[in-house]
């Protein structure tokens, strides 16, 4: 193997690798703006200048191939001077509006100005003036003055999103970005450019001016928008989710996520239509809030009125593996019903070969593996709906889904039920018909696991407090405000929903039937799963870790698993 | 009469019939009777250096092209000629287009290019028309394209197209030129890879200047040795010197390399109007370092001699400035040009050219200080060597060398004191855990 020396350390490399790739792989930081591991090399920012012995000029590490015997100095005086000059050039026309810039706190120009700047400016001329608020598309806002013309966004659009929608116009320091005539920057992945933009030139119109980044906590989670299961960070301020950003996972979503996931998959957590306590329909009219104990005893007494084959259970591909597992166990051991299934949410019209999957749920495979399927001649979902129509099924338990929204026919049939028990996060068409409603915690308020279309099991973690969850006691991630704010701040007086993980509610109901289910945490359930279901054999939360793990029997699944 | 290789005193030489009467297109027939490598060797023997400014040996450049003929290969003739003070290729387009075409054919044969582009700056509307007429005539007589097989009784064919520039100086940079031909934004490419490996549409490509290629037929006709003995041995041949500025007879003069600058100015171009003294000469287009008036005595015009006085031959565009010239104004104007033409791709040139221009304009307004002169040199030094292409140097050199060589004139225009707002310098040199490699610890 050829060997390159970087900062006096020797590294082996494959031919064709650039200096920055070798350095990155070995944990050596070479400052850069315009380089991205997944995009073509443009070499325009000049920030990655390094000194190579026997080369007369500084070279850029992003495009210079590593050679056998090459000796690279990242931090020689000459290299540092070169980077300081580049920093000086980048800053002369950059507006100093960090105090109102969304990027502040996660801005590479800021970071490198501290690390590589000279700390003073020799520029006393008038700065360039350019457009400040250009709507490039539905989600992305462009500030031309902040732009350092690194071309990452243009390359991302062309190479990853595969849609050429904008480009540079003008020359010299007048250079700026424009969408092509008649085009909008509206591809399904447009917001990724906000993440890769090294400065505050491109901002998320859904998030801009909402929060300083250091005032938010970030929690590693999984996007529930489709069966891809993109790894994400949930950013929370004052117990409210303000944005989602993709989290690098080479096996699942690489560095990216789609705009649908980013924009539409968190607002329901903070929405006004959240179900905020258990509710019971009294005297055949409206539902009204009741305490947990009352709702549970009402549920127990209701269920006891029916024979087991009059009861059906619908699990959920939106719920975690643990929820579904406990529901299946409850159906088996308490309800003794074989009628159990879940609803598929497939939209073949909305998929691509980048990230977006036709299965619009995060855990179809997990729900199936957890035992949500008709047992020994039990009814599947369509048969359950037939049974409700024919009044053979008289009691339906539904978790985290909206069966009434699927068709008018279903909606009409549901009124045939004697009893309809719904676990839901938000009000929907099914909760409107329900006799008993339990408030379920959303994916952002609980621990648990999803299995994506590849058969990869991944962890979600609580980012938002409910009444039952405490940020410090439950080891949730903390922001600066969480740690140092006082009770006199507006901070901390946030709304907390009275909701619980679905499994916890099922557990309480089951134990009211004098079962002795004994789980303190979702991981307790998961450990039982790992002992009883072969696909999960030997797994625990620690093994799944931050990036998930491939289920053994689902190795190398490339195509979607239609469950 | 001096030796004429590129521009000949033959009436109507631009017409194909006249060109043919003087042996035109017979040299190509002679060329295809040899192997391509023999052509390259002949050009190597001639020691022909590129006329675009870099003086790179032409034969050596051709030899970088892969010999494999299974893939497309391209030849680009660079006639973008946009450097202020440079107007020589225009004369070839107008007065000797067929020699350029024949040179293109020979070069294409030598490197195995099936397609050739002659890239002409868009502002040369008239010369594009003239060149197109010459091409059409050559096609009509079967000298280019598929009919070459019959005309020259050979296996080789090539096509020649004219590509019009769209008004950007940067497209004269060879990799930006290729992007421009591909229909892309005229951005220079990061090198390596070099064009001979990965050029036009990622295929091997050679880019040569118009004047360089126009030399080729004569070299093949009369032999490399003959050519190598013209002018200065290390930079042989004749050059088209475009003389402009404060000069009585501005124009293009074909003279052997090594001709004295004073001969060009006084013997051929008629001297300086009003018999004024010369303050400054830019020897090769505005991007080249200027020469002081007291340096021109005995100075020969060839690559080596100019290097010795701290300048370069460039494109041979000689700009003469008399003793009354305001060099601050000249420098501001030159800098404005490079500011306007910087493509904006890479940071030092994009930001630095505008900065230098603004400082120079401030000095012109009488608001400069002597510290600004040091700042300008510093900015120029920080651009130089840190950019993707040579436009960085082209913008930096005039600033750096004009101020250095005429410092007294600049000092006279600026105030002595300045109070710059200087923030506290709070940073150490070290940026990471690893110690600085240049500092020995212990």
């Amino acid at each position: 193997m050829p060997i390159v020396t970087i900062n006096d350390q020797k590294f082996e490399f494959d031919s064709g690798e650039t200096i920055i790739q070798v350095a990155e792989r070995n944990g050596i930081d070479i400052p850069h703006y315009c380089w991205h591991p997944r995009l073509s090399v443009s070499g325009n920012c000049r920030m990655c200048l390094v000194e190579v012995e026997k080369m007369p000029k500084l070279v850029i590490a992003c495009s210079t191939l590593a050679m056998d015997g090459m000796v690279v100095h990242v931090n020689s005086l000459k290299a540092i001077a070169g980077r300081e000059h580049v920093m000086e050039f980048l800053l002369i026309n950059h507006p100093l509006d960090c105090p109102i810039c969304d990027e502040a706190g996660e801005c590479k120009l800021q970071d490198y100005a501290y690390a590589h700047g000279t700390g003073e400016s020799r520029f006393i001329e008038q700065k360039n003036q350019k457009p400040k608020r250009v709507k490039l598309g539905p989600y992305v806002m462009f500030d031309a003055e902040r732009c350092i013309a690194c071309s990452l966004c243009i390359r991302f659009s062309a190479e990853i999103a595969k849609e050429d929608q904008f480009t540079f116009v003008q020359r010299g320091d007048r250079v700026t970005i424009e969408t092509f005539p008649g085009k909008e920057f509206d591809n399904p992945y447009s917001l990724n450019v906000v993440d890769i933009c090294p400065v505050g030139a491109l901002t998320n119109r859904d998030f801009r001016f909402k929060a300083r980044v250091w005032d938010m906590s970030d929690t590693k989670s999984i996007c529930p928008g489709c069966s891809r299961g993109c790894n994400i960070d949930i950013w929370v301020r004052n117990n409210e989710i303000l944005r989602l950003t993709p989290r690098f996972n080479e096996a699942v979503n690489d560095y990216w996520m789609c705009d649908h996931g980013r924009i539409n998959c968190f607002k329901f957590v903070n929405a006004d239509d959240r179900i905020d306590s258990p509710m019971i329909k009294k005297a055949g009219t409206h539902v009204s809030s009741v305490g947990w104990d009352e709702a549970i005893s009402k549920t127990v007494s209701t269920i006891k009125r029916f024979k087991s084959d009059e009861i059906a259970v619908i699990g959920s591909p939106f719920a975690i593996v643990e929820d579904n597992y406990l529901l299946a166990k409850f159906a088996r051991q308490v309800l003794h019903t074989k009628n159990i299934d879940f609803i598929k949410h497939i939209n073949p019209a909305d998929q691509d070969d980048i990230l977006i999957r036709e299965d619009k749920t995060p855990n179809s495979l997990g729900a199936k593996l957890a035992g949500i399927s008709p047992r020994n001649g039990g009814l599947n979902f369509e048969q359950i709906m037939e049974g409700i129509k024919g009044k053979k099924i008289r009691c339906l338990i539904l978790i985290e889904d909206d069966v009434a929204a699927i068709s008018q026919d279903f909606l009409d049939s549901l009124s045939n039920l004697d009893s309809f028990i719904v676990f839901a996060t938000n009000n929907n068409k099914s909760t409107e018909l329900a006799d008993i409603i339990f408030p379920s915690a959303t994916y952002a308020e609980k621990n648990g696991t999803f299995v994506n279309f590849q058969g990869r099991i991944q962890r979600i973690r609580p980012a938002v407090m409910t009444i039952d969850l405490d940020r410090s006691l439950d080891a949730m991630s903390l922001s600066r405000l969480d740690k140092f704010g006082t009770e006199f701040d507006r901070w901390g007086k946030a709304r907390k929903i009275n909701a619980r993980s679905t499994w916890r509610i099922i557990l309480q109901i089951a134990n009211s039937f004098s079962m002795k289910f004994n789980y303190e945490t979702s991981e307790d359930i998961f450990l039982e799963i790992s002992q009883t279901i072969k696909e999960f054999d030997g797994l625990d939360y620690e093994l799944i870790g931050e990036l998930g793990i491939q289920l053994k029997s689902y190795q190398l699944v490339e195509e979607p698993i239609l469950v | 009469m001096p030796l004429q290789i590129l521009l000949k005193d033959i009436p109507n030489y631009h017409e194909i019939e006249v060109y043919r009467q003087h042996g035109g297109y017979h040299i190509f027939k002679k060329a295809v009777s040899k192997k391509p490598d023999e052509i390259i060797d002949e050009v190597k023997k001639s020691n022909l250096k590129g006329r675009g400014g870099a003086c790179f040996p032409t034969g050596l450049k051709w030899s970088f092209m892969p010999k494999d003929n299974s893939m497309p290969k391209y030849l680009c003739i660079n006639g973008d000629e946009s450097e202020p003070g440079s107007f020589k290729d225009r004369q070839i387009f107008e007065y000797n287009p067929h020699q350029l075409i024949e040179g293109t054919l020979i070069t294409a044969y030598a490197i195995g290019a099936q397609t050739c582009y002659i890239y002409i700056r868009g502002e040369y509307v008239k010369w594009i028309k003239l060149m197109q007429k010459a091409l059409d005539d050559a096609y009509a007589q079967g000298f280019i394209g598929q009919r070459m097989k019959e005309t020259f009784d050979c296996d080789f064919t090539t096509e020649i197209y004219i590509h019009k520039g769209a008004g950007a100086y940067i497209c004269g940079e060879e990799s930006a030129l290729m992007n421009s031909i591909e229909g892309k934004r005229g951005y220079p490419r990061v090198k390596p890879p070099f064009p001979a490996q990965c050029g036009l549409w990622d295929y091997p490509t050679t880019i040569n200047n118009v004047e360089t290629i126009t030399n080729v037929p004569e070299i093949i006709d009369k032999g490399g040795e003959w050519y190598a003995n013209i002018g200065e041995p290390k930079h042989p041949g004749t050059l088209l010197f475009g003389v402009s500025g404060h000069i009585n007879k501005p124009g293009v003069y074909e003279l052997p390399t090594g001709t004295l600058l004073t001969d060009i100015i006084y013997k051929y171009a008629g001297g300086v109007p009003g018999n004024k003294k010369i303050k400054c000469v830019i020897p090769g287009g505005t991007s080249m370092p200027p020469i002081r008036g007291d340096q021109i005595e005995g100075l020969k015009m060839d690559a080596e001699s100019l290097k010795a006085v701290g300048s370069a031959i460039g494109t041979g565009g000689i700009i003469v400035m008399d003793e009354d010239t305001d060099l601050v104004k000249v420098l501001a104007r030159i800098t404005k040009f490079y500011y306007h033409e910087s493509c904006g791709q890479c940071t030092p040139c994009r930001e630095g050219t505008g900065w230098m221009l603004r400082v120079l304009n401030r000095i012109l307004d009488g608001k400069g200080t002597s510290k600004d002169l040091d700042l300008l040199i510093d900015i120029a030094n920080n651009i130089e060597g840190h950019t993707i292409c040579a436009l960085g140097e082209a913008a930096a050199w005039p600033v750096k060398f004009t101020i250095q060589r005429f410092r007294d004139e600049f000092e006279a225009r600026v105030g002595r004191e300045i109070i710059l707002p200087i923030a506290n310098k709070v940073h150490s040199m070290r940026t990471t855990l690893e110690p600085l490699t240049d500092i020995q610890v212990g």
Side-chain angles (χ1 to χ4, degrees):
Chain A
M1 281 284 260
I3 300 233
V4 60
T5 307
I6 306 178
N7 289 357
D8 296 331
Q9 291 171 265
K10 291 192 188 323
F11 302 112
E12 292 191 337
F13 65 94
D14 297 322
S15 107
E17 273 191 297
T18 56
I19 295 173
I20 205 169
Q21 285 173 323
V22 180
E24 163 114 344
R25 197 157 45 70
N26 292 290
I28 292 178
D29 176 48
I30 298 180
H32 60 271
Y33 293 106
C34 72
W35 180 76
H36 190 284
R38 289 297 179 270
L39 300 176
S40 60
V41 171
S42 72
N44 63 39
C45 77
R46 318 306 284 180
M47 194 60 197
C48 64
L49 287 171
V50 293
E51 188 175 358
V52 175
E53 284 183 12
K54 292 175 192 158
M55 285 202 186
K57 294 191 207 170
L58 296 176
V59 300
I60 47 173
C62 67
S63 83
T64 308
L65 294 175
M67 306 277 220
D68 193 24
M70 185 184 255
V71 182
V72 181
H73 299 292
V74 179
N75 292 320
S76 68
L77 286 178
K78 195 175 163 195
I80 286 175
R83 288 202 290 272
E84 285 184 353
H85 300 150
V86 172
M87 273 312 298
E88 182 177 38
F89 284 131
L90 281 172
L91 287 169
I92 61 170
N93 279 311
H94 192 83
L96 296 176
D97 61 353
C98 307
I100 58 149
C101 178
D102 280 308
E103 191 80 0
E106 52 185 13
C107 173
K108 279 189 148 183
L109 201 62
Q110 256 184 351
D111 295 351
Y112 291 155
Y114 277 103
H116 305 279
T118 52
E120 62 183 282
S121 174
R122 298 184 291 173
F123 185 81
I124 57 169
E125 323 300 327
Q126 178 89 38
K127 282 176 189 263
N128 275 341
Q129 292 186 344
K130 288 183 185 174
K132 293 293 283 179
R133 279 170 294 277
V134 183
K135 288 179 188 136
L136 287 185
Y139 301 128
V140 179
M141 188 72 92
F142 175 53
D143 181 325
E145 285 184 356
R146 290 179 188 158
C147 177
I148 59 166
C150 71
S151 79
L152 275 175
C153 52
I154 295 171
R155 281 176 283 147
F156 170 83
S157 232
E159 295 166 21
I160 305 289
K162 303 204 167 36
E163 288 202 44
D164 262 324
Q165 291 177 318
F166 57 175
T167 188
F168 283 133
V169 293
Q170 302 291 343
R171 291 195 300 232
D173 62 9
R174 285 87 64 212
V175 77
T176 187
I177 289 165
E178 270 180 21
T179 47
F180 293 122
K183 278 206 178 183
E184 252 200 316
F185 182 51
D186 60 355
N187 71 61
Y189 297 91
S190 69
L191 277 170
N192 289 294
V193 301
V194 175
D195 303 326
I196 57 177
C197 181
V199 294
L202 297 170
T203 46
N204 179 345
R205 290 175 64 191
D206 191 55
F207 171 71
R208 64 203 299 263
F209 304 133
K210 290 261 176 74
R212 313 310 327 238
V213 292
W214 56 86
D215 282 347
M216 294 184 288
S217 62
D218 64 303
T219 306
K220 294 179 173 64
S221 189
I222 301 299
C223 173
C226 80
S227 63
R228 167 71 58 179
C230 288
N231 290 214
I232 56 169
D233 278 305
I234 301 178
W235 296 81
V236 173
R237 182 184 187 277
N238 205 16
N239 212 37
E240 185 183 355
I241 303 180
L242 295 179
R243 68 169 180 180
L244 306 180
T245 55
R247 181 162 58 87
F248 174 64
N249 187 338
E250 204 171 1
V252 180
N253 57 309
D254 225 5
Y255 294 87
W256 326 115
M257 75 184 289
C258 74
D259 290 354
H260 164 72
R262 196 189 298 246
I263 296 292
N264 299 327
C265 291
F266 69 89
K267 287 178 184 154
F268 68 94
V269 177
N270 308 117
D272 288 337
D273 67 355
R274 281 297 297 275
I275 295 171
D276 203 4
S277 92
M279 297 203 231
I280 293 178
K281 191 182 277 182
K282 285 179 178 163
T285 54
H286 285 293
V287 286
S288 51
S289 295
V290 294
W292 285 96
D293 291 344
E294 187 181 343
I296 285 165
S297 58
K298 173 77 177 172
T299 306
V300 172
S301 62
T302 302
I303 290 171
K304 280 182 175 164
R305 293 188 351 239
F306 302 102
K307 286 186 259 169
S308 57
D309 60 359
E310 291 173 332
I311 303 174
V313 175
I314 297 179
S316 172
F318 296 103
I320 52 177
V321 173
E322 294 81 350
D323 289 339
N324 282 304
Y325 172 81
L326 204 61
L327 183 71
K329 185 169 171 177
F330 177 71
R332 214 161 49 233
Q333 296 188 5
V334 179
L335 306 175
H336 305 292
T337 180
K338 298 169 187 168
N339 308 325
I340 180 167
D341 202 354
F342 67 93
I343 306 166
K344 294 150 192 85
H345 297 265
I346 308 289
N347 180 4
D350 181 26
Q351 61 172 327
D352 62 26
D353 50 11
I354 304 172
L355 293 178
I356 299 168
R357 308 296 308 178
E358 60 174 2
D359 179 353
K360 297 301 163 197
T361 66
N363 194 33
S364 295
L365 191 51
K368 188 183 177 189
L369 293 174
I372 306 291
S373 60
R375 294 188 299 122
N376 304 329
L379 306 179
N380 67 17
F381 172 62
E382 285 74 21
Q383 292 162 335
I384 290 171
M385 293 315 293
E386 280 300 308
I388 293 170
K389 208 171 182 180
K391 299 195 179 181
K392 284 181 187 135
I393 299 293
R394 295 171 57 211
C395 173
L396 178 65
I397 298 172
L398 168 73
I399 70 160
E400 297 186 39
D401 212 329
D402 190 3
V403 61
I406 292 171
S407 70
Q408 186 64 38
D409 188 34
F410 284 181
L411 190 119
D412 295 340
S413 309
L414 289 169
S415 57
N416 290 348
L417 286 168
D418 288 323
S419 185
F420 186 21
I421 302 166
V422 177
F423 295 58
T425 59
N426 296 63
N427 277 315
N428 60 31
K429 286 190 172 164
S430 301
T431 59
E432 280 171 26
L433 300 170
D435 299 296
I436 302 171
I437 307 172
F438 285 104
S440 285
T442 63
Y443 80 103
E445 295 157 332
K446 61 187 177 186
N447 271 305
T449 53
F450 287 145
V451 181
N452 82 349
F453 78 101
Q454 299 161 301
R456 188 178 189 85
I457 186 163
Q458 309 191 95
R459 280 282 313 279
I460 60 168
R461 297 168 185 79
V464 174
M465 292 183 286
T466 58
I467 282 182
D468 285 0
L469 268 180
D470 184 88
R471 216 163 257 290
S472 42
L473 294 177
D474 291 308
M476 292 168 67
S477 110
L478 298 169
S479 69
R480 194 182 62 108
L481 284 177
D482 293 326
K483 287 175 199 159
F484 306 118
T486 75
E487 55 183 292
F488 302 110
D489 292 338
R490 182 168 56 85
W491 180 255
K493 298 195 174 119
R495 175 180 179 221
K496 290 187 204 170
I497 301 285
N498 184 9
R500 290 174 185 171
S501 292
T502 297
W503 64 264
R504 204 177 277 283
I505 306 168
I506 298 167
L507 173 74
Q508 285 168 306
I509 298 169
N511 286 350
S512 300
F513 276 97
S514 14
M515 298 302 290
K516 294 228 163 21
F517 290 177
N518 184 19
Y519 311 108
E520 288 290 320
T521 65
S522 62
E523 188 166 16
D524 291 342
I525 303 177
F526 190 78
L527 291 174
E528 183 175 309
I529 294 172
S530 72
Q531 282 158 15
T532 51
I533 301 175
K534 68 173 184 342
E535 284 85 356
F536 298 89
D537 183 33
L539 291 178
D540 59 33
Y541 278 7
E542 203 181 324
L543 270 174
I544 295 168
E546 292 182 352
L547 297 177
I549 197 166
Q550 190 73 24
L551 293 180
K552 280 176 206 137
S553 45
Y554 281 91
Q555 218 76 34
L556 300 173
V557 173
E558 292 291 335
E559 285 305 298
I561 295 165
L562 293 174
V563 288
Chain B
M1 189 167 51
L3 181 64
Q4 293 176 338
I5 295 175
L6 303 163
L7 297 175
K8 298 183 180 178
D9 257 344
I10 298 168
N12 297 324
Y13 198 59
H14 63 283
E15 288 175 8
I16 192 162
E17 292 307 332
V18 180
Y19 182 70
R20 287 187 67 184
Q21 282 160 24
H22 289 83
Y25 292 107
H26 277 94
I27 305 168
F28 180 74
K29 182 141 177 108
K30 189 170 158 187
V32 285
S33 67
K34 298 180 182 176
K35 287 185 182 140
D37 276 350
E38 293 177 77
I39 306 283
I40 295 177
D41 285 344
E42 202 62 41
V43 173
K44 275 185 179 167
K45 218 182 286 171
S46 78
N47 205 9
L48 173 65
K49 302 278 175 70
R51 301 293 197 239
C55 293
F56 194 82
T58 305
L60 184 62
K61 189 186 244 184
W62 294 357
S63 68
F64 295 152
M65 289 291 275
K67 306 290 172 204
D68 175 13
N69 277 327
S70 65
M71 59 182 148
K73 288 189 273 188
Y74 295 96
L75 171 64
C76 298
I77 309 298
N78 188 346
D80 194 47
E81 186 159 74
S82 309
E83 176 96 351
S86 181
F87 43 90
K88 62 187 177 67
D89 296 342
R90 193 173 71 174
Q91 306 302 104
I92 293 173
F93 296 141
E94 185 163 351
Y95 297 107
N96 201 0
H98 289 287
Q99 192 170 326
L100 170 61
I101 293 170
E102 192 165 15
T104 304
L105 294 174
I106 296 168
T107 310
Y109 174 69
I111 63 173
Q114 300 91 338
T115 312
C116 310
Y117 293 93
I118 301 179
Y119 191 101
I120 307 178
R121 68 178 299 188
E123 294 88 339
Y124 275 5
V125 177
K126 176 182 163 191
W127 293 272
I128 289 168
K129 279 187 191 152
L130 293 173
M131 224 24 240
Q132 189 61 53
K133 168 82 169 60
L135 267 189
D136 291 345
D137 290 346
Y139 262 106
Q141 302 212 5
F143 294 147
I144 316 173
Q146 290 307 307
R147 283 173 59 203
M148 287 170 79
K149 284 185 183 173
E150 311 145 31
T151 315
F152 298 113
D153 188 25
C154 65
D155 284 340
F156 178 77
T157 68
T158 191
E159 306 286 338
I160 304 180
Y161 304 97
I162 289 178
H163 190 98
K164 279 187 267 188
Y169 168 76
I170 192 59
C171 290
E173 196 278 342
E174 60 179 18
S175 57
L177 182 145
M178 293 190 293
N179 277 345
S180 174
I181 291 176
E182 289 182 19
K184 295 176 184 157
R185 197 174 153 80
Y187 268 172
R189 300 178 184 174
V190 176
K191 284 149 273 189
F194 292 99
Q197 309 153 322
C198 180
L200 209 49
W201 291 292
D202 294 347
Y203 287 111
T205 304
T206 289
I207 301 106
N208 283 124
N209 182 261
V210 166
E211 188 184 340
T212 314
I213 293 303
T214 310
N215 275 299
V216 170
E218 296 269 319
I219 291 170
I220 299 307
D221 189 34
K222 303 196 172 81
E225 214 167 304
W226 163 80
Y227 190 88
N229 284 319
I230 303 167
E232 284 295 307
K234 286 188 174 169
H235 186 206
T238 57
L239 287 184
L240 296 181
F241 292 104
V243 189
S244 63
H246 297 133
I247 198 84
N248 280 320
K249 284 161 63 188
V252 175
Y253 298 87
E254 180 176 0
L255 294 165
T257 55
T259 306
L260 288 175
L261 177 57
T262 46
D263 277 356
I264 296 175
I265 293 173
Y266 294 104
K267 189 170 160 191
Y268 299 102
V272 181
N275 289 328
K276 286 185 190 173
K277 290 174 186 159
I278 292 172
K279 181 192 274 181
C280 171
V281 176
I282 298 174
T286 53
S287 65
M288 294 301 134
I291 301 167
R292 291 177 64 105
D294 59 8
Q295 291 177 295
I296 65 174
E297 266 331 300
L299 178 61
K300 288 183 185 175
M301 289 298 284
D302 61 83
E304 297 292 315
S305 310
L306 281 168
K307 209 169 159 188
V309 294
S311 190
I313 190 74
T315 54
I318 298 169
I319 304 172
V320 181
M321 289 174 247
D322 72 21
E323 56 191 309
D324 294 333
T325 311
D326 179 352
L327 283 181
V328 180
K329 215 168 165 182
V330 168
L331 184 58
R333 186 61 192 82
I334 291 175
T335 303
K336 187 178 177 188
F337 175 79
Y338 294 106
Y339 165 72
H340 184 254
E341 297 297 341
S342 166
C343 77
Q345 186 181 196
C346 70
T347 308
C349 175
R350 179 182 67 235
E351 304 293 339
T353 50
W355 191 2
M356 293 192 301
L357 177 64
R358 275 173 260 196
V359 175
L360 279 163
N361 281 340
R362 191 155 48 77
I363 293 172
L364 272 183
D365 285 351
K367 292 172 189 159
T369 69
S370 51
K371 272 196 172 174
D372 284 328
L373 302 179
D374 295 327
L375 175 65
L376 281 169
I377 292 172
D378 214 28
I379 299 170
N381 280 333
N382 294 350
I383 298 173
E384 192 183 336
H386 292 163
T387 53
I388 292 176
C389 78
L391 198 143
E393 278 80 18
W397 282 355
V399 171
K400 180 170 151 183
F401 291 107
T402 310
I403 295 175
Q404 278 177 355
R405 290 175 186 174
F406 300 91
R407 179 97 189 191
D408 46 349
E409 184 166 344
F410 281 83
E411 288 287 357
R413 293 287 284 274
V414 296
R416 288 280 146 202
E417 281 176 49
I418 187 165
I419 301 157
L420 279 169
I422 293 180
N424 288 333
K425 197 162 182 169
V426 294
H427 300 279
S428 63
M429 290 303 287
R430 177 189 276 239
T431 57
T432 60
L433 185 63
E434 296 121 44
L436 297 171
T437 43
D438 288 2
I439 293 177
Q440 299 296 321
V441 182

Coordinates of all heavy atoms in Angstrom, one line a residue, chain A residues 68 134 139 259 273 345 354 409 499 559:
Chain A
D68 N 2.3 8.3 -3.1 CA 3.3 7.6 -2.3 C 4.5 8.4 -1.9 O 5.1 9.0 -2.8 CB 3.7 6.3 -3.0 CG 4.4 5.3 -2.0 OD1 4.1 5.4 -0.8 OD2 5.2 4.5 -2.4
V134 N -34.1 36.6 -1.0 CA -34.6 36.1 -2.3 C -35.2 34.7 -2.0 O -34.6 33.8 -1.5 CB -33.4 35.9 -3.3 CG1 -33.9 35.4 -4.6 CG2 -32.6 37.2 -3.4
Y139 N -39.3 26.6 0.2 CA -38.7 26.5 1.6 C -37.4 27.2 1.8 O -37.0 27.4 2.9 CB -38.5 25.0 1.9 CG -39.7 24.1 1.8 CD1 -39.8 23.0 1.0 CD2 -40.9 24.5 2.5 CE1 -40.9 22.2 0.9 CE2 -42.0 23.7 2.4 CZ -42.0 22.6 1.7 OH -43.2 21.8 1.6
D259 N -37.7 17.0 2.0 CA -38.4 18.2 2.6 C -39.7 17.8 3.3 O -40.0 18.4 4.3 CB -38.7 19.2 1.4 CG -37.4 19.9 0.9 OD1 -36.3 19.6 1.5 OD2 -37.5 20.6 -0.1
D273 N -54.3 20.2 18.2 CA -55.3 19.1 18.3 C -54.7 17.9 19.0 O -55.3 16.8 18.8 CB -55.7 18.8 16.8 CG -54.6 18.2 16.0 OD1 -53.4 18.1 16.5 OD2 -54.9 17.8 14.8
H345 N -50.0 1.7 4.5 CA -50.1 3.0 3.9 C -49.2 3.2 2.8 O -48.1 3.6 3.0 CB -49.9 4.1 5.0 CG -50.9 4.1 6.1 ND1 -52.0 4.9 6.1 CD2 -50.9 3.4 7.2 CE1 -52.7 4.7 7.2 NE2 -52.0 3.8 7.9
I354 N -34.1 7.9 -4.6 CA -33.1 8.6 -3.8 C -33.4 8.2 -2.3 O -32.7 7.4 -1.8 CB -33.2 10.2 -4.0 CG1 -32.9 10.5 -5.4 CG2 -32.1 10.9 -3.1 CD1 -33.2 11.9 -5.8
D409 N -66.8 4.4 3.4 CA -67.4 3.1 3.7 C -67.0 2.7 5.1 O -67.8 2.3 6.0 CB -67.0 2.1 2.7 CG -67.7 0.8 2.8 OD1 -68.9 0.8 3.3 OD2 -67.1 -0.3 2.6
A499 N -49.8 12.7 28.0 CA -49.9 11.5 27.2 C -48.9 10.5 27.6 O -47.9 10.8 28.3 CB -49.6 11.9 25.7
E559 N -34.5 -4.2 -1.9 CA -35.9 -3.8 -2.4 C -36.8 -3.6 -1.2 O -36.6 -4.2 -0.1 CB -36.4 -4.8 -3.3 CG -35.8 -4.8 -4.7 CD -35.9 -3.4 -5.3 OE1 -37.0 -2.9 -5.6 OE2 -34.8 -2.8 -5.6

